[in-house]
Amino acid sequence: GDNGSGKSTLLKLIAGILPCHQGTILSQEPIYLVPQDFTPYLSSTVADVLQVSDKLTALHEIFKGNVDVANFEILGDDWELEERIQYEMKKWGLSDIALDTPLAELSGGEKTKVFLVGLTLNKPGIVLMDEPTNHLDYASRTLLYDWLKQTNSSVLVVSHDRELLNTISGILELSSLGLKYYSGNFEAYKEQKEI
């Protein structure tokens, strides 16, 4: 869709960030958003964005000897959470960033990568991405392309990155007439448009 056609607004509606004026959006799966605009998250810590703060607190309480049932319920079976976080942070080039760091202190690329770490940590069923490659270096883009090729999640991406658009299996074109679906990647979409 053209700039200003409502792509980011559509993602915000689906994610529940903006209210619908009419109708309802229902999802039986949690929805995970990798935003383009980080403003609402700037006061959050890295752990908050990763959605692991409560689990880490419960894990540390258990290690201190607090065997309150609530801690075990919050943690579930995620006993290797810290190791998983370290692995994902290292994979995305963020191993030097502490989990209590406010998102506001990070660069644009680091902010995006924190959301991508959360994506790979939480393995959501539905993923929304708004221009996810804007601030990423080539190595991080490659990691994202590889993730897209192997994920079982339903993914809706807003992007102008043609390499990214060529990794996906369908294109939705947004215009004043609504959404139109084209099967195949971006190259297939261009061919269908020319026809």
Side-chain angles (χ1 to χ4, degrees):
D2 294 333
N3 288 335
S5 62
K7 300 179 301 290
S8 294
T9 301
L10 180 61
L11 289 188
K12 289 177 185 176
L13 286 165
I14 295 169
I17 294 170
L18 292 176
C20 294
H21 293 294
Q22 293 181 6
T24 306
I25 297 173
L26 300 173
S27 172
Q28 294 184 7
E29 296 264 356
I31 296 173
Y32 188 89
L33 174 66
V34 178
Q36 178 179 13
D37 177 15
F38 300 109
T39 306
Y41 307 95
L42 293 179
S43 62
S44 300
T45 66
V46 170
D48 294 335
V49 170
L50 298 179
Q51 301 174 5
V52 296
S53 296
D54 292 343
K55 281 189 172 191
L56 285 172
T57 300
L59 180 63
H60 293 155
E61 285 298 310
I62 292 167
F63 286 160
K64 288 180 195 173
N66 181 349
V67 293
D68 187 327
V69 172
N71 288 327
F72 289 94
E73 289 174 351
I74 291 168
L75 183 61
D77 292 331
D78 211 351
W79 292 97
E80 296 178 354
L81 177 62
E82 290 180 312
E83 291 81 5
R84 289 191 317 113
I85 293 169
Q86 288 173 353
Y87 173 81
E88 293 296 336
M89 293 286 281
K90 183 177 181 182
K91 180 172 85 175
W92 289 98
L94 300 174
S95 52
D96 294 339
I97 296 173
L99 294 176
D100 61 354
T101 304
L103 203 66
E105 294 180 11
L106 304 180
S107 71
E110 290 170 333
K111 289 173 184 145
T112 300
K113 288 194 261 185
V114 167
F115 278 91
L116 295 174
V117 168
L119 172 70
T120 55
L121 270 178
N122 294 298
K123 299 180 177 128
I126 299 174
V127 177
L128 308 175
M129 296 183 177
D130 195 356
E131 299 288 357
T133 59
N134 274 1
H135 302 287
L136 296 182
D137 57 23
Y138 182 75
S140 299
R141 285 176 184 228
T142 302
L143 279 173
L144 177 59
Y145 302 151
D146 291 344
W147 179 85
L148 282 166
K149 290 173 188 171
Q150 66 184 358
T151 186
N152 292 325
S153 299
S154 296
V155 182
L156 182 60
V157 180
V158 169
S159 182
H160 291 95
D161 177 346
R162 294 189 179 189
E163 189 172 351
L164 182 147
L165 293 174
N166 277 320
T167 66
I168 57 180
S169 61
I171 302 288
L172 287 166
E173 182 181 61
L174 180 62
S175 71
S176 59
L177 302 174
L179 283 171
K180 183 170 182 183
Y181 177 76
Y182 295 84
S183 63
N185 63 15
F186 185 75
E187 292 302 319
Y189 158 77
K190 284 194 332 187
E191 290 174 11
Q192 292 174 68
K193 286 290 285 184
E194 286 172 13
I195 291 169

